[in-house]
């Protein structure tokens, strides 16, 4: 879909802050509130704007015990469908939050969430590795998030280390 300059501006604004009101966005792009609302609706209808989300720093929530992992997956693509068929089989698992086709040593990058490292390991060994097209996997557990989608995660005061030089 080809976007107008104003639609492009709206998308870029919403990508940075989806909580802005239509009135605020209209002022920023020099359109009426009505025109802005129509443009946003069009972008939503055409699935350019897929979803509005919040970025949560789960590291600051003591009760959160979830684990995220990035898994590099080497696969054999199938004739006629390439990587699409195996990517679809993988992204249908409830544990999977993202799947990307990659260049380099591995074909797919898969991001999953689990309640524990054992749950992630079980997913890889019992579900992912057993798929016909999967040749190999390499699992990387995410230990700490410093920056995500352009947002820098500020450390808690208790995370700051004081270094005293002699």
């Amino acid at each position: 879909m080809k976007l107008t300059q104003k639609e492009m501006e709206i998308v870029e604004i919403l990508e940075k802050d989806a909580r802005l009101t239509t009135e605020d966005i209209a002022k920023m792009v020099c359109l009426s509130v009505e025109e802005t609302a129509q443009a946003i609706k069009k972008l939503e209808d055409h699935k350019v704007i897929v979803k509005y989300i919040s970025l949560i720093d789960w590291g600051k929530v003591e009760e959160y015990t979830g684990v995220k992992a990035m898994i590099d997956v080497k696969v054999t693509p199938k004739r006629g469908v390439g990587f699409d068929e195996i990517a679809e089989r993988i992204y249908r698992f409830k544990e999977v939050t993202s799947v990307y086709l990659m260049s380099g040593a591995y074909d797919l990058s898969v991001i999953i969430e689990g309640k524990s490292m054992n749950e992630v390991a079980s997913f890889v060994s019992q579900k992912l590795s057993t798929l016909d097209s999967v040749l190999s996997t390499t699992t990387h557990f995410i230990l700490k998030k410093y920056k995500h989608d352009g947002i820098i995660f500020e450390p808690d005061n208790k995370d700051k280390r004081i270094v005293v030089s002699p």
Side-chain angles (χ1 to χ4, degrees):
M1 170 179 186
K2 184 147 177 73
L3 300 184
T4 67
Q5 179 62 36
K6 294 294 182 181
E7 290 168 340
M8 194 66 179
E9 289 176 35
I10 291 169
V11 168
E12 289 171 351
I13 289 167
L14 285 171
E15 184 178 37
K16 287 184 177 75
D17 187 354
R19 293 188 71 195
L20 289 171
T21 65
T22 305
E23 291 79 11
D24 289 339
I25 297 168
K27 289 176 193 170
M28 294 168 79
V29 297
C30 300
L31 288 175
S32 71
V33 174
E34 232 175 58
E35 291 170 315
T36 304
Q38 289 172 353
I40 292 170
K41 172 123 177 55
K42 176 185 169 187
L43 293 163
E44 292 169 344
D45 291 346
H46 285 89
K47 302 294 185 207
V48 173
I49 297 174
V50 180
K51 184 178 182 180
Y52 298 92
I53 62 167
S54 296
L55 182 58
I56 309 298
D57 186 352
W58 288 109
K60 292 185 177 179
V61 180
E62 290 181 27
E63 297 82 13
Y64 182 73
T65 58
V67 175
K68 282 192 178 191
M70 299 175 76
I71 306 165
D72 298 325
V73 184
K74 184 82 172 152
V75 300
T76 303
K78 291 195 176 176
R79 187 180 308 274
V81 293
F83 296 99
D84 295 346
E85 183 180 288
I86 187 65
E88 182 177 349
R89 288 184 68 192
I90 292 169
Y91 71 61
R92 294 209 178 274
F93 288 114
K94 67 177 175 47
E95 297 89 346
V96 174
T97 61
S98 302
V99 177
Y100 304 99
L101 180 61
M102 305 298 287
S103 63
Y106 289 88
D107 302 307
L108 300 173
S109 181
V110 178
I111 300 175
I112 70 165
E113 290 183 7
K115 293 178 183 159
S116 67
M117 287 188 177
N118 284 340
E119 189 174 283
V120 170
S122 176
F123 169 81
V124 173
S125 64
Q126 295 176 10
K127 294 180 180 178
L128 186 59
S129 295
T130 60
L131 295 174
D132 290 340
S133 297
V134 173
L135 299 174
S136 66
T137 64
T138 302
T139 302
H140 311 275
F141 287 97
I142 298 172
L143 303 177
K144 184 174 182 178
K145 194 182 295 188
Y146 293 99
K147 186 174 182 179
H148 182 85
D149 286 342
I151 305 298
I152 296 170
F153 284 68
E154 298 295 326
D156 281 341
N157 288 337
K158 66 181 178 183
D159 288 344
K160 291 183 181 175
R161 305 288 186 250
I162 298 173
V163 178
V164 179
S165 56

